Amino acid sequence: MSTGLRSGQVAEAAGVNIQTLRYYERRGLLAEPERSNGGHRLYGEEAVTALRVIKAAQRLGFTLEEVAELLEAGRHRHGRPVAGLQDRAAAKLAEVDAKIADLTTIRTALAAAVDAGCDDLTVCASSVCCPIPFTDLAEENRHAGPCC
């Protein structure tokens, strides 16, 4: 290959920096490129596509390890659908739903603390009307009294 895209061109086209490009190459997410006579890395257009796929998968919540597994499975499918992609996407969706539920609970507790005017964690924790969900140990120390 005497023509191709140099590292900077690939990185710019994919919206990543050169260090990211090299890191993905070291991790095996990208095939090692050919070299020019001068020793410069020369990538094909497929490298830009691969980088965009990797970044999109990361934005969807997949780890680099998971992305590597998906890419590897795709390389060995020989025109057949990749078994497990649906399962992996469904599992990731369940993870996201669980995180949303957790964040909703946290948001509700924080909003209640703000609405209650809580300003001192220790005072609030010992108040009966404290909206922050402390552990059962905190329940033993609560006493009837004014709210935060």
Side-chain angles (χ1 to χ4, degrees), residues 123-124 126-130 141-148:
V123 171
C124 186
S126 61
S127 172
V128 192
C129 57
C130 177
N141 295 328
R142 288 187 179 195
H143 56 77
C147 287
C148 313

Side-chain angles (χ1 to χ4, degrees), residues 8 13 20 24 37 40 50 80 90 97-98 109 111:
T20 299
Y24 291 169
N37 292 337
H40 296 286
R80 297 183 310 272
D97 286 341

Side-chain angles (χ1 to χ4, degrees), residues 8-92:
Q9 294 170 307
V10 172
E12 184 177 344
V16 300
N17 62 47
I18 292 174
Q19 290 77 20
T20 299
L21 173 67
R22 300 246 170 87
Y23 177 70
Y24 291 169
E25 193 178 308
R26 284 192 308 274
R27 292 272 316 250
L29 296 167
L30 290 175
E32 190 172 325
E34 293 191 27
R35 300 280 181 154
S36 70
N37 292 337
H40 296 286
R41 290 173 166 88
L42 295 175
Y43 297 87
E45 282 291 331
E46 67 278 357
V48 175
T49 302
L51 285 167
R52 288 178 179 161
V53 167
I54 293 166
K55 296 312 284 180
Q58 285 184 297
R59 283 191 299 277
L60 291 173
F62 289 99
T63 65
L64 276 182
E65 182 77 23
E66 292 167 328
V67 172
E69 291 170 5
L70 290 169
L71 290 173
E72 186 62 26
R75 288 183 188 116
H76 296 292
R77 69 181 181 176
H78 304 294
R80 297 183 310 272
V82 178
L85 179 57
Q86 284 290 317
D87 293 339
R88 291 171 196 245
K92 190 56 67 178

